[in-house]
Structure formats: C-alpha cells, structure tokens
Amino acid sequence: MKRLALSEYVAGIKNHDRTILGRAITLIESKNVSDRLLAQKLITEILPLTGNSFRLGITGAPGVGKSTFIDGFGSHILSQGKKLAVLAIDPSSKVSGGSILGDKTRMESLANDKRAFIRPSPAGDSLGGVAQNTLETLLLCEAAGFDFVIVETVGVGQSETIVKDITDYMMFLTISGAGDELQGIKRGIMEMIDMVVINKSDQVSEKELSRLISNINYALHLFPAKDSNFTVGAFTCSALNKTGFDSIYEELEKYKSKTEALGYFKENRNNQQKAWFRRLTETKILEYYLNNTELQKLISDFEKDILSLKVGPMEAAQSILDFIKK
Amino acid sequence: MKRLALSEYVAGIKNHDRTILGRAITLIESKNVSDRLLAQKLITEILPLTGNSFRLGITGAPGVGKSTFIDGFGSHILSQGKKLAVLAIDPSSKVSGGSILGDKTRMESLANDKRAFIRPSPAGDSLGGVAQNTLETLLLCEAAGFDFVIVETVGVGQSETIVKDITDYMMFLTISGAGDELQGIKRGIMEMIDMVVINKSDQVSEKELSRLISNINYALHLFPAKDSNFTVGAFTCSALNKTGFDSIYEELEKYKSKTEALGYFKENRNNQQKAWFRRLTETKILEYYLNNTELQKLISDFEKDILSLKVGPMEAAQSILDFIKK
C-alpha cells in the first residue's frame, strides 16, 4: 500500500479516520528504514494528543474465554459511551505467521460496531519490536479518539510483562474447575495483576464459586500490597450471558478516579515512559556498537579465543570495552 | 572471611579442597570491587580445567518433590562413580533473603556424602548477577573435579532460561493428578526441556499413569524437533522409593555419548559460551555509558521533556546516541 504524506496521516488521525489510522499502524509496523523515520515523526506529531484513554491489559490461559469476554465486556464499555480499541500481544505470532486476532469473527459484536477498532498483534521479529509496535499503535489509537484501549495477551513468554509495561491496569481471567484457578496461574503473574475475573461463573454451583473466591483471595493475600494501594479483588462473570460486567466496569472506574486523585495513575504512566525511553536508549547504543564492522571482527576473534580457552569471556568483554573507550 | 591469595585458591581447587572451593565461591559472589577483580583472575586461571562435567538442569513446580528427587537421584549418580555438585538458581532469594537450598536437610543423603557438594543459590541483586555467579560457581566445581553438576531452579520468572543457558540437558519434573501434568506446565517450558520425569509414580494406578504418559507424549509431539535430534521422552520414578533412577540415568548417558559423537554436545556449549560473552559485552558497554555523569544528566533532562510531551522517547534516544557518537 502506498505511503501517505506525514500531514495526511496526522490530519486523518485527528479526524478519527479509521482507514488512515489503519494505514498509520501499518506504517509503524514496517521495517523499511524510510518508513521507520516517517513513523517516528508521526509519533512525535501525535504525542500531544495521547494519554487520554484507560489502558486495560487482559491475560489468562487458553480456554478461559478471553475472546468472548472481550467481545461482551467491550460491548458493555461501548454502552458506557466510550470508544474502544482492542490490540493484542502475541510473541508467538512470529512463529506461526498468524495472529490470535487474525480472525475478527472471534469478536463478532465488536467487529461489527463502528465505535470499536480491532487490531491484530504485529508479527514482529523480536519481543522488543512487538512491544514497541504495540505501544506506538496504542498511542495512535488514543490520538484518533479512542478513550478505552484493551491490550490482550496470550500469556506466552514475556508477553504479560510487555502488557504490564504499557497499561494502567491488569486483569487476569480464569475459570473454575480442574484445579485451573490456582495451578494454572503462571508463577509470577500474581504480582502483576490488579483484578481476577472468574469467567463462566454460571457453570458452577454457588458453593464451588465461593470456595474458589476464597482460595483466590487467600492466594492474593500472600503477596505484598500494590503500589496503587488498591486491593486485588476477585470478580465473577459469565461473558456468554453478559452478567457481571457492571461491577467489573465500576471497579475500573473507581480505580481510575481514586488513583488519579492520589497521583498514582500519573506516576505509574511517568515511570512507564521513563522505562520505555531507557529501553530505547539501551537498544540504540548496543545496535550502534554491535553493528560496527571493526568491532564485529574483534568480537568474532575473541569468540575463537574463548572457545579455545585462551581467554575468559569476562576479560574479553573488558577488552571490547577498552577498545570502544579509546 | 579473609581472602586468600590467587595461587592459594588455584592450588586448593586443583587439589579438590572443598573448603577452599567454598571460599572461592564466596569470593565470586562478593560485590566488592577488588574481590571481583581477583575472582575474574581466578576464573581465567581455572578455565583450562573446566568443561568436564555433565551439566543437568532440573525444573518443576513446587510440590512435585524436586528435593527428594535430587537427593535420591544424586545418590544414584554417586553410585555410578561420579562426583556430584548441586547448585540452585532462585531469583526470588533476593526478596526473601533466604534460599531454597539454605537448609541442607532438604537433601539429607547428599549433605552427608563427601562425594557430593551442595551450594545454595546466590542472593544476587539482579537476575544477570545470579546467572553470572551460578555459571562461575559451576566452572569452579568442574575445576575442583566434580564431573556431574545439577543446577536446580524454582521456576520463578526467567530462572529456567538461565539454567537452560548454562546446562547440557533440561529435566522437567512433574507428578500425576489434579490436571497438574499439563495445566501446571508453564507455557514456554516445553520448548526448553529434554526429558519429562513423572515423580511419585507409585501413587497412581497403572492405567492413570499410562493415560498421563500418553497425554504428555501428545503434548510434546506438538513441538518442533530438538536441535539435538533427540526425542523428548517421558520417564517415571518414585524418588522416595528410589525406583526408576536406572532408566533415567541410562538415558542421560545415551544422550551424552550420542550428542558428543555427532558434535551437537560441543556445539551447544560453544553457543552458550558465545552468548555468555555477548551478554557480558552488552552489560559492560551499557554500564560504561549509563554510569557516565554527563550522560546521566542528559538522560534526566530528556526524561523531563518526555514527560511534558516536548519530545518523543524515540527522538530522545536518538539524541543520546548522537551525543555518544561525537
């Protein structure tokens, strides 16, 4: 597809033109060098228009009904007068070539609603690339007037960390039964989440449900208090029957207004911005040096010496640094 | 504890002196700058003595009986005429201040056997630090004559990746029941492992066990073939009753001899060495720049501009690089 001029992208996004938004995202995802330069300018131009959405991360194991939940809860969000964008992070899409959101029929109601915008996960060749693309896509969506953004993750590898790094709130979706509620919770995820939602709650007895909730609350209780000062709560819903959305949405509203009043909301975003800048700087510095032909030669010479035990990796790394310094 | 002279550490390690080995590991783990320099020299000195062990990584969820397994299987390894060192990676030990191996009574038989050496996980302040310490500890153990090294991981965060990066073979320990066998398998772990061991196999019926094995084999079958050309197999054992160790040990022997003959064993280690060198180099370059006071000032100025949306993180990172270049 042909590139537009910078001003055309900017004007289109300001006018909430979805076709141009889509093309801007394609530009962002391009690996072509001149596309990257244009994309960088575009992001700088639209930055002042960003920051006005609630950014919700959603994770959960396959089979807990994430698509149905996002479709149903997304429609509830729209009914509250919001404009919703749904993005996805799926680092495995680089392998399969596909994407968890490739098939929009996964979220039929949203796909047919003009107030919603669904964008599949970019097929990046590195985790860092996928993270960068998703963050820039999120910013473009905000600039185009979407004031609620869901970032879905398949939970593979580090995808949850990426989502955590660019969202305001992390929701963990689970279901009852088969020990899944706790066993299936990936170790390390509990520290990351702000809310547990038990989906398909209509499929279990009241007794089973309250046992489950008390188990989850017990597990959550073992973790230190959140920086947000909010208690991680367990909520129930049936995405299929569209029940339970009200209390979940209310909790999100409450979270946003309280943390905004206390300053944490802004503080968290500022920390995310700084960390993003730090990562970009580190990547740029390393790319610059490690792409230097003279240095590449030196590195490959040292590799040979290391493999023949002539020099230790520590010493070799120090020699590389000494070479750079002079 | 007082430091020894370099020659004393080297002589002690060459003489397989366990006390000096212990003190050398303490030196390695020290954050003191002059200790670090001495440690670096020590590693270089003993490098020619390293490489002669089979490095086995073991992972598995809490409750599957890892300690009992390592205690029992470790004794089996000793009975084969090997000298065994058991190390651990536990990134969470920096939080708890403790260590999964702090209490040697977890592995009573090994703790009381002079042919075995147990070393708790270092309480590093960063994942990179823990990884570096564990690898250097492993090399010291090899130099001190241990020809079988087990590196245990608690499976938190990226600890499995670290273990994978420094071992020859990854064993995944699990138990039957409660859907744990597959649900509890952390996503992403299947690509990493070379063998599944079902522990406590005496506690389930033959029928249940064969159902479980066929489930695991089915799951394993979904992944691409390993670079080693070995099929990942499912083995059973009861660590408590010391059954099943024979076939597991035989498989490890078979793996070692076949991959050595085909060159993969050496190739894998070479790749690990190169990756280690690469990581050290990257860390050194970044430390050098990010500790520069002038640059730190520039970064903190840019942070302010980024937070007030005056400049995008991408542009700011580019400016930092431009500053470094000139």
Side-chain angles (χ1 to χ4, degrees):
Chain A
M1 198 186 289
K2 223 180 127 284
R3 263 202 292 176
L4 301 174
L6 178 61
S7 59
E8 290 175 292
Y9 284 118
V10 175
I13 285 164
K14 281 186 178 167
N15 288 332
H16 304 180
D17 182 322
R18 297 160 58 102
T19 311
I20 291 186
L21 172 61
R23 292 179 67 172
I25 297 173
T26 305
L27 175 75
I28 294 265
E29 291 172 354
S30 165
K31 282 189 211 30
N32 178 297
V33 177
S34 68
D35 283 351
R36 282 306 305 156
L37 282 173
L38 187 59
Q40 207 168 313
K41 283 185 192 145
L42 174 58
I43 292 295
T44 307
E45 283 280 323
I46 57 99
L47 264 186
L49 305 171
T50 64
N52 302 315
S53 81
F54 186 74
R55 304 169 181 175
L56 172 66
I58 299 186
T59 185
V64 299
K66 277 205 299 295
S67 304
T68 313
F69 177 81
I70 294 174
D71 200 39
F73 188 59
S75 301
H76 184 82
I77 292 169
L78 294 177
S79 77
Q80 304 295 310
K82 298 282 182 190
K83 292 175 69 188
L84 172 72
V86 180
L87 315 178
I89 288 215
D90 178 8
S92 65
S93 68
K94 68 176 164 177
V95 179
S96 66
S99 163
I100 52 165
L101 278 172
D103 187 0
K104 285 192 184 177
T105 55
R106 281 208 309 131
M107 299 173 192
E108 231 176 298
S109 323
L110 291 184
N112 294 318
D113 194 312
K114 289 207 158 46
R115 296 165 299 170
F117 180 82
I118 304 181
R119 182 78 185 191
S121 176
D125 45 3
S126 75
L127 207 56
V130 170
Q132 178 71 21
N133 284 338
T134 308
L135 177 53
E136 291 179 353
T137 301
L138 188 153
L139 296 174
L140 288 175
C141 289
E142 286 184 345
F146 291 94
D147 50 6
F148 206 112
V149 182
I150 288 178
V151 187
E152 177 189 10
T153 161
V154 286
V156 170
Q158 288 209 264
S159 57
E160 276 139 348
T161 311
I162 296 178
V163 173
K164 169 84 182 161
D165 286 348
I166 63 173
T167 55
D168 303 313
Y169 195 92
M170 282 289 277
M171 185 185 282
F172 177 76
L173 209 63
T174 187
I175 49 172
S176 70
D180 180 76
E181 68 270 14
L182 294 176
Q183 293 282 6
I185 293 182
K186 192 167 149 186
R187 287 160 277 167
I189 192 76
M190 294 301 257
E191 284 106 320
M192 265 188 223
I193 57 178
D194 299 291
M195 176 192 279
V196 175
V197 172
I198 304 161
N199 191 18
K200 308 183 187 178
S201 65
D202 55 325
Q203 292 178 20
V204 280
S205 66
E206 280 295 325
K207 196 179 152 196
E208 166 65 14
L209 206 56
S210 63
R211 185 198 60 80
L212 176 54
I213 292 174
S214 90
N215 274 358
I216 289 176
N217 283 332
Y218 176 75
L220 290 168
H221 170 258
L222 299 173
F223 291 89
K226 315 286 292 182
D227 291 337
S228 64
N229 277 323
F230 254 72
T231 308
V232 181
F235 289 74
T236 59
C237 83
S238 161
L240 207 60
N241 302 325
K242 304 184 200 312
T243 61
F245 291 156
D246 274 330
S247 345
I248 295 169
Y249 188 81
E250 264 168 40
E251 177 75 5
L252 298 184
E253 291 261 276
K254 204 172 94 187
Y255 181 89
K256 183 159 191 281
S257 62
K258 282 223 178 173
T259 55
E260 271 179 347
L262 292 166
Y264 175 76
F265 193 83
K266 184 72 186 152
E267 186 193 321
N268 182 45
R269 285 220 178 154
N270 284 353
N271 289 336
Q272 289 179 342
Q273 284 272 89
K274 286 192 260 183
W276 180 28
F277 169 46
R278 180 59 68 113
R279 283 194 303 272
L280 286 172
T281 302
E282 293 187 355
T283 307
K284 275 205 181 286
I285 293 176
L286 291 178
E287 270 175 8
Y288 172 64
Y289 285 112
L290 303 177
N291 289 337
N292 174 299
T293 21
E294 211 181 337
L295 206 66
Q296 279 179 340
K297 168 91 173 60
L298 196 64
I299 289 176
S300 109
D301 286 347
F302 269 121
E303 278 180 354
K304 288 189 201 94
D305 289 346
I306 288 168
L307 296 186
S308 55
L309 300 182
K310 272 189 218 146
V311 63
M314 267 289 197
E315 280 173 300
Q318 185 60 47
S319 304
I320 299 280
L321 181 60
D322 293 341
F323 174 82
I324 286 174
K325 280 191 197 170
K326 66 162 200 329
Chain B
M1 198 185 288
K2 225 180 127 283
R3 265 200 291 174
L4 300 174
L6 178 60
S7 59
E8 291 175 291
Y9 284 117
V10 174
I13 286 166
K14 282 186 179 167
N15 288 331
H16 303 179
D17 182 322
R18 297 161 57 105
T19 312
I20 290 185
L21 171 61
R23 290 179 69 172
I25 297 174
T26 306
L27 175 76
I28 292 259
E29 291 172 354
S30 165
K31 283 188 208 31
N32 178 297
V33 177
S34 68
D35 284 351
R36 282 306 305 155
L37 283 173
L38 188 59
Q40 207 168 312
K41 284 186 191 145
L42 174 57
I43 294 295
T44 308
E45 284 280 322
I46 57 100
L47 265 185
L49 304 171
T50 65
N52 301 315
S53 81
F54 186 73
R55 304 169 181 174
L56 172 66
I58 299 187
T59 185
V64 300
K66 277 205 299 294
S67 304
T68 313
F69 177 80
I70 294 174
D71 199 40
F73 188 60
S75 301
H76 185 83
I77 291 169
L78 294 176
S79 76
Q80 304 296 309
K82 300 282 182 189
K83 291 175 70 188
L84 172 71
V86 180
L87 315 178
I89 288 214
D90 178 8
S92 65
S93 69
K94 70 177 162 178
V95 179
S96 65
S99 163
I100 52 165
L101 277 173
D103 187 359
K104 286 192 184 177
T105 56
R106 282 207 309 131
M107 298 172 191
E108 232 176 299
S109 323
L110 291 184
N112 293 319
D113 196 311
K114 288 207 159 45
R115 297 165 298 171
F117 180 81
I118 304 182
R119 182 77 184 191
S121 176
D125 44 6
S126 75
L127 208 57
V130 170
Q132 178 71 20
N133 284 337
T134 308
L135 177 53
E136 291 180 351
T137 301
L138 188 154
L139 296 173
L140 287 176
C141 289
E142 286 184 345
F146 291 95
D147 51 5
F148 205 111
V149 181
I150 288 179
V151 187
E152 177 190 9
T153 161
V154 288
V156 170
Q158 288 208 262
S159 57
E160 276 138 348
T161 312
I162 296 177
V163 174
K164 170 85 181 159
D165 287 347
I166 62 173
T167 55
D168 303 313
Y169 196 91
M170 282 289 278
M171 184 185 283
F172 178 76
L173 208 64
T174 188
I175 49 172
S176 70
D180 180 77
E181 67 270 14
L182 293 176
Q183 293 282 5
I185 294 181
K186 193 167 147 185
R187 287 160 275 167
I189 193 77
M190 294 301 257
E191 284 106 321
M192 265 187 224
I193 57 179
D194 299 291
M195 175 193 280
V196 176
V197 172
I198 304 162
N199 191 18
K200 308 184 188 179
S201 65
D202 55 325
Q203 291 177 22
V204 282
S205 66
E206 280 296 325
K207 195 180 152 196
E208 166 65 14
L209 206 57
S210 65
R211 185 198 60 79
L212 177 54
I213 293 174
S214 91
N215 274 357
I216 289 176
N217 282 332
Y218 176 75
L220 289 168
H221 170 258
L222 300 172
F223 292 88
K226 315 285 294 182
D227 291 337
S228 65
N229 276 323
F230 254 71
T231 308
V232 181
F235 288 74
T236 59
C237 83
S238 161
L240 208 59
N241 301 326
K242 305 184 198 312
T243 62
F245 292 155
D246 273 331
S247 346
I248 295 170
Y249 189 81
E250 265 167 40
E251 176 75 5
L252 298 184
E253 290 261 277
K254 204 173 94 188
Y255 181 90
K256 184 160 190 281
S257 63
K258 281 223 178 172
T259 55
E260 271 179 347
L262 292 166
Y264 175 77
F265 192 83
K266 183 72 187 153
E267 185 193 321
N268 182 44
R269 285 221 179 154
N270 284 353
N271 288 336
Q272 289 178 341
Q273 284 271 89
K274 286 193 258 181
W276 180 28
F277 169 46
R278 181 59 68 113
R279 282 194 303 273
L280 286 172
T281 303
E282 293 187 354
T283 306
K284 274 206 182 286
I285 293 176
L286 290 178
E287 270 175 6
Y288 172 65
Y289 285 112
L290 303 178
N291 288 335
N292 174 300
T293 22
E294 212 181 338
L295 206 67
Q296 278 178 341
K297 168 87 174 62
L298 195 64
I299 288 176
S300 109
D301 286 347
F302 269 122
E303 277 180 354
K304 289 189 199 93
D305 289 346
I306 287 168
L307 296 186
S308 55
L309 302 182
K310 272 187 217 147
V311 63
M314 268 289 199
E315 280 173 302
Q318 185 59 48
S319 304
I320 300 279
L321 181 61
D322 293 341
F323 174 82
I324 286 175
K325 280 191 197 168
K326 68 162 194 356

